[in-house]
Amino acid sequence: MDTKGIRRRGFVAGALGLLVAACEPTGVPPDANGSAPPAGTALLAVKIDNVGAARPQTGLEDADIVYAEQVEGGLSRLMAVFGSKSPDVVGPVRSARETDLELLRQFDRPTLAYSGAQSALRPLIDAAPLRAVPPPGESGGAYFRSGGKPAPHNLYLRPEKLGRPTPGTNAGAAAGFRFAAAVPAGGRPETARTVRFPSARFGFDWSAAQRRWLVSMDGNAAVTAGGTRLAAATVVVQYVDVQASRFHDKFGSTSPLTRTVGSGRAVVLRDGRAYDAQWSRPGAGGGTSFTADGQPLPFAPGQVWVVFAKK
């Protein structure tokens, strides 16, 4: 575990960060004690903070999939899904949204780690086909506060205390993604792509040397807690309906609801090329397929970033 990276002092959150913080629960103990964790879990999904004060995040590099979604104030938040690897520490952990429940239906009862949720959303989480593990609950001491960042950007998770993912379980395959080392025919050369939210943006720059897309967030290079650049084998810009949900924060700001069931267009980046694609997820219980010119479009083996962009 890179404790030096975790303790790196983040800069004080700005006004937009405070807006999102209003949705978070308070009073999380430094080390909650609950029931013993299970021996294993199929997949682990963790809600990850993504304002400036939360960076650099810990453990993102080990995720099979990193989803980027829009939250209040036009800001972004991440959901990292782990299966192939399980890091020692993940975070900072933040709260769940209604968007997460539909998105996670494509996995077989995953474990969802999050810092909490507003009271009106909790019945939906309880009814969802997943194992919800906020602190303290049944987390078995999995959560702790780090002194290196200001609250609420300092809550971290020890995944081992929730049960290690089943070996060999790849979240990408579970989500319906296909993978192939061979570069698909078609596409066009592309070395850089920017995706914008109202108050956030993601950049992806192709590195021929690493054969990966180097990630930037809000104009800054995204790095691990140890200082290594975050890099994806495949990047998906998935155009979806983003609408107002029934939920609001205490300031009255509406929580966006991202719809991931249905179909639409996408741009898939792999191997320095861009492919115009179509995505399809007919029902919440199934995965998402991607096609180009009517044929399945395989992703490059490795980590996948999916950015949900508004249609």
Side-chain angles (χ1 to χ4, degrees):
M1 181 178 74
D2 190 345
T3 55
K4 181 178 179 181
I6 293 177
R7 286 176 163 68
R8 186 179 302 174
R9 176 69 62 181
F11 59 84
V12 178
L16 287 174
L18 293 176
L19 175 66
V20 177
C23 296
E24 302 295 334
T26 58
V28 177
D31 193 9
N33 291 309
S35 61
T41 184
L43 293 171
L44 170 65
V46 186
K47 286 306 297 291
I48 305 291
D49 202 349
N50 197 37
V51 296
R55 301 172 191 153
Q57 294 97 337
T58 299
L60 279 180
E61 65 273 21
D62 290 328
D64 291 331
I65 311 172
V66 179
Y67 291 103
E69 61 188 50
Q70 188 182 148
V71 293
E72 298 80 15
L75 293 168
S76 65
R77 190 159 291 180
L78 307 177
M79 178 185 284
V81 186
F82 300 88
S84 300
K85 299 178 183 178
S86 182
D88 292 329
V89 174
V90 181
V93 181
R94 290 298 292 270
S95 60
R97 295 293 186 274
E98 187 178 10
T99 293
D100 307 325
L101 304 184
E102 182 175 279
L103 178 61
L104 289 175
R105 285 284 306 279
Q106 63 190 323
F107 303 111
D108 183 17
R109 299 193 66 84
T111 294
L112 173 60
Y114 60 106
S115 65
Q118 56 179 276
S119 59
L121 182 60
R122 290 171 191 163
L124 296 183
I125 296 175
D126 292 340
L130 52 79
R131 176 185 173 228
V133 191
E138 298 180 357
S139 60
Y143 294 93
F144 69 96
R145 294 281 186 188
S146 168
K149 291 175 181 174
H153 315 291
N154 62 353
L155 181 67
Y156 288 85
L157 171 73
R158 302 181 184 95
E160 184 174 22
K161 291 184 175 291
L162 298 181
R164 291 283 186 179
T166 303
T169 302
N170 183 280
F177 303 162
R178 296 192 179 194
F179 295 89
V183 180
R188 60 185 179 277
E190 184 162 325
T191 58
R193 169 74 59 150
T194 298
V195 185
R196 299 181 184 275
F197 290 1
S199 300
R201 71 183 188 273
F202 294 87
F204 303 95
D205 294 283
W206 175 247
S207 168
Q210 298 186 36
R211 301 203 64 78
R212 290 291 184 270
W213 296 89
L214 305 182
V215 182
S216 298
M217 294 187 283
D218 299 331
N220 299 310
V223 298
T224 68
T228 302
R229 189 75 178 269
L230 288 173
T234 304
V235 176
V236 179
V237 184
Q238 185 174 341
Y239 293 92
V240 296
D241 287 324
V242 180
Q243 59 196 54
S245 76
R246 73 191 99 168
F247 302 104
H248 303 76
D249 65 19
K250 72 177 184 179
F251 296 112
S253 297
T254 302
S255 298
L257 173 59
T258 297
R259 291 295 190 186
T260 55
V261 172
S263 61
R265 70 184 184 96
V267 176
V268 175
L269 307 177
R270 62 161 293 175
D271 298 290
R273 303 187 70 81
Y275 297 82
D276 294 322
Q278 294 290 316
W279 67 270
S280 177
R281 186 182 172 202
T288 307
S289 63
F290 292 85
T291 58
D293 297 324
Q295 299 298 316
L297 181 60
F299 295 173
Q303 187 178 79
V304 179
W305 278 62
V306 180
V307 183
F308 294 123
K310 187 174 182 179
K311 285 183 178 178

